[in-house]
Amino acid sequence: MRAKDLELYEQDQLNDLLNLKGKKMNKLKTVDIKGKKYVTVNERIKYFREHFTGYSLTSEITHINESGVIIKAELRDPEGNLLATGIGHEKQGSSFINKTSFIENCETSAWGRCLGNFGIGIDERRGRKQFSYSREGTGSGYG
């Protein structure tokens, strides 16, 4: 197989995997936030751990100072290929929780965005073009 054909094959395999898993995803618990159903990060992580054995979800502090933090999360397949990213930003003291736990809150936000960009806990499914962007490191797939 040529490299381009192999890349398209891998993308199609991942899309098929997400669509197959998506049939079970409608069972994820949601909470109502301003009239919209939202899948909590906790539910996304549980789903990810149950259905994507061998995949990794990691995070790194990319910026921190006395007023806030930025954390980047990355999701990789068992071969180490980058499949999705997510960025979180929190200001220390901007809410009751952020008075003491702004770093933990930021990491949770980054994980949630990353898992959402991968397709867990959202209504839309990632298409070939968005997947290509994340694989090439040019974006996370969803804005």
Side-chain angles (χ1 to χ4, degrees):
M1 245 185 227
R2 295 184 338 216
K4 186 68 171 170
D5 291 336
L6 181 60
E7 182 179 333
L8 292 176
Y9 174 76
E10 289 173 348
Q11 291 171 10
D12 287 341
Q13 275 189 317
L14 181 62
N15 285 335
D16 290 345
L17 178 64
L18 287 173
N19 288 332
L20 175 67
K21 304 282 187 191
K23 292 176 184 174
K24 297 179 183 176
M25 214 179 307
N26 61 2
K27 296 179 183 178
L28 293 176
K29 295 178 190 174
T30 61
V31 295
D32 186 280
I33 297 180
K34 297 183 181 179
K36 295 184 180 182
K37 290 183 178 181
Y38 173 78
V39 178
T40 64
V41 176
N42 181 51
E43 286 295 311
R44 292 176 194 205
I45 290 172
K46 288 191 313 189
Y47 182 89
F48 172 72
R49 296 290 182 218
E50 181 179 341
H51 295 284
F52 291 93
T53 305
Y55 286 62
S56 65
L57 179 63
T58 60
S59 52
E60 174 185 0
I61 295 174
T62 61
H63 177 78
I64 188 168
N65 62 24
E66 62 281 345
S67 64
V69 64
I70 298 173
I71 295 179
K72 178 181 180 181
E74 294 182 343
L75 189 149
R76 294 181 182 271
D77 68 15
E79 290 77 40
N81 298 306
L82 180 64
L83 302 179
T85 62
I87 300 290
H89 174 258
E90 295 292 338
K91 292 182 179 179
Q92 187 174 14
S94 62
S95 68
F96 179 75
I97 291 173
N98 282 355
K99 288 181 183 177
T100 59
S101 303
F102 73 106
I103 295 171
E104 295 90 334
N105 196 24
C106 185
E107 185 174 47
T108 301
S109 295
W111 286 343
R113 285 190 178 275
C114 187
L115 291 168
N117 288 339
F118 184 61
I120 298 175
I122 59 170
D123 291 335
E124 300 173 8
R125 293 289 176 264
R126 167 187 299 259
R128 176 174 287 151
K129 186 174 182 179
Q130 289 85 5
F131 180 71
S132 294
Y133 289 154
S134 67
R135 287 281 305 258
E136 296 166 8
T138 58
S140 59
Y142 289 111

